[in-house]
Amino acid sequence: MTENSLTENAKFSAIAAYFTFIGLIIAFFINMEEKHDFANFHIRQSLGIQTLFYATGALLGMVPSIAAGIGFLVFFFIIWIFGLATALKNQTTPLPIVGSIFQKIFGFIK
């Protein structure tokens, strides 16, 4: 994807989606009019990261292990950085392992 084919709103939406749940909501509403595929891709990836983060965190909350908690945070920090970096580089590379699953599950976001 080239720099010229992206609008400012699409790029902003893709990047904003990775910053907290509020950023995801803002990105979703900004992209409602344009419906840019690039932004939709990153909104789905970010929604998947955040959903998996909270679901896994709830399960790990029942396990009293500091090592599991640290591993959990490191894993999600790495996939968050990967997603954000691909948005900054104007790429639509799915996250390793879970990215294609997120695209299928959240395919209703168009």
Side-chain angles (χ1 to χ4, degrees), residues 23-67:
L24 179 62
I25 292 170
I26 291 169
F28 179 78
F29 283 109
I30 288 175
N31 195 48
M32 282 184 82
E33 287 184 27
E34 276 187 20
K35 304 273 188 200
H36 202 285
D37 290 338
F38 176 75
N40 285 332
F41 174 85
H42 285 288
I43 290 169
R44 288 190 294 267
Q45 293 288 289
S46 175
L47 180 60
I49 290 171
Q50 292 184 34
T51 302
L52 190 62
F53 177 82
Y54 292 118
T56 307
L59 292 174
L60 280 177
M62 293 183 257
V63 179
S65 171
I66 292 176

Side-chain angles (χ1 to χ4, degrees), residues 45-110:
Q45 293 288 289
S46 175
L47 180 60
I49 290 171
Q50 292 184 34
T51 302
L52 190 62
F53 177 82
Y54 292 118
T56 307
L59 292 174
L60 280 177
M62 293 183 257
V63 179
S65 171
I66 292 176
I70 291 172
F72 164 75
L73 292 175
V74 168
F75 170 75
F76 279 100
F77 182 72
I78 290 170
I79 65 172
W80 177 78
I81 289 293
F82 183 87
L84 181 61
T86 59
L88 289 170
K89 292 190 289 185
N90 300 338
Q91 297 175 344
T92 54
T93 306
L95 297 167
I97 302 167
V98 294
S100 59
I101 297 168
F102 293 159
Q103 292 301 312
K104 290 177 188 172
I105 291 173
F106 301 114
F108 62 88
I109 298 175
K110 295 181 183 196

